[in-house]
Amino acid sequence: MADEKKRRTYRRPRGTMVQPTNLGYEVEFTSKSTWETLAQDLEISPSELFDVMVEHLPLDAYGRPTWFPERPPKDGMLHVPAA
């Protein structure tokens, strides 16, 4: 029974996406495997996990993910915090 759960592929219900598109990005194999395992454990499809993540992504005042490392300023530019 445990092996059966591991092999099950979860899919979204047909017709629940408004404008479906293919991401078309190349990613590291281990990242993709980790993502698929996480989706499997949550009993949702990897694409649904992506959409839920984007919908709930915490952004800073500049619209960047709060967990994304800050990049050093470009030459001649000052870092000014958002108001």
Side-chain angles (χ1 to χ4, degrees):
M1 183 77 165
D3 290 332
E4 183 179 314
K5 183 181 178 193
K6 288 277 188 196
R7 286 182 273 155
R8 180 164 182 189
T9 300
Y10 292 95
R11 299 183 62 106
R12 294 179 190 234
R14 186 177 295 269
T16 58
M17 295 176 66
V18 178
Q19 284 186 300
T21 188
N22 190 323
L23 294 176
Y25 305 129
E26 283 191 67
V27 296
E28 290 292 340
F29 178 80
T30 55
S31 297
K32 182 178 184 284
S33 294
T34 300
W35 188 259
E36 290 171 346
T37 299
L38 179 56
Q40 181 77 29
D41 291 346
L42 294 169
E43 298 183 355
I44 61 175
S45 70
S47 67
E48 188 172 5
L49 178 58
F50 177 82
D51 285 341
V52 170
M53 182 197 68
V54 170
E55 289 172 18
H56 295 90
L57 192 63
L59 303 176
D60 67 13
Y62 294 104
R64 296 181 301 230
T66 56
W67 46 262
F68 196 79
E70 189 172 324
R71 293 186 176 155
K74 296 178 183 172
D75 286 341
M77 296 184 75
L78 299 174
H79 173 71
V80 179

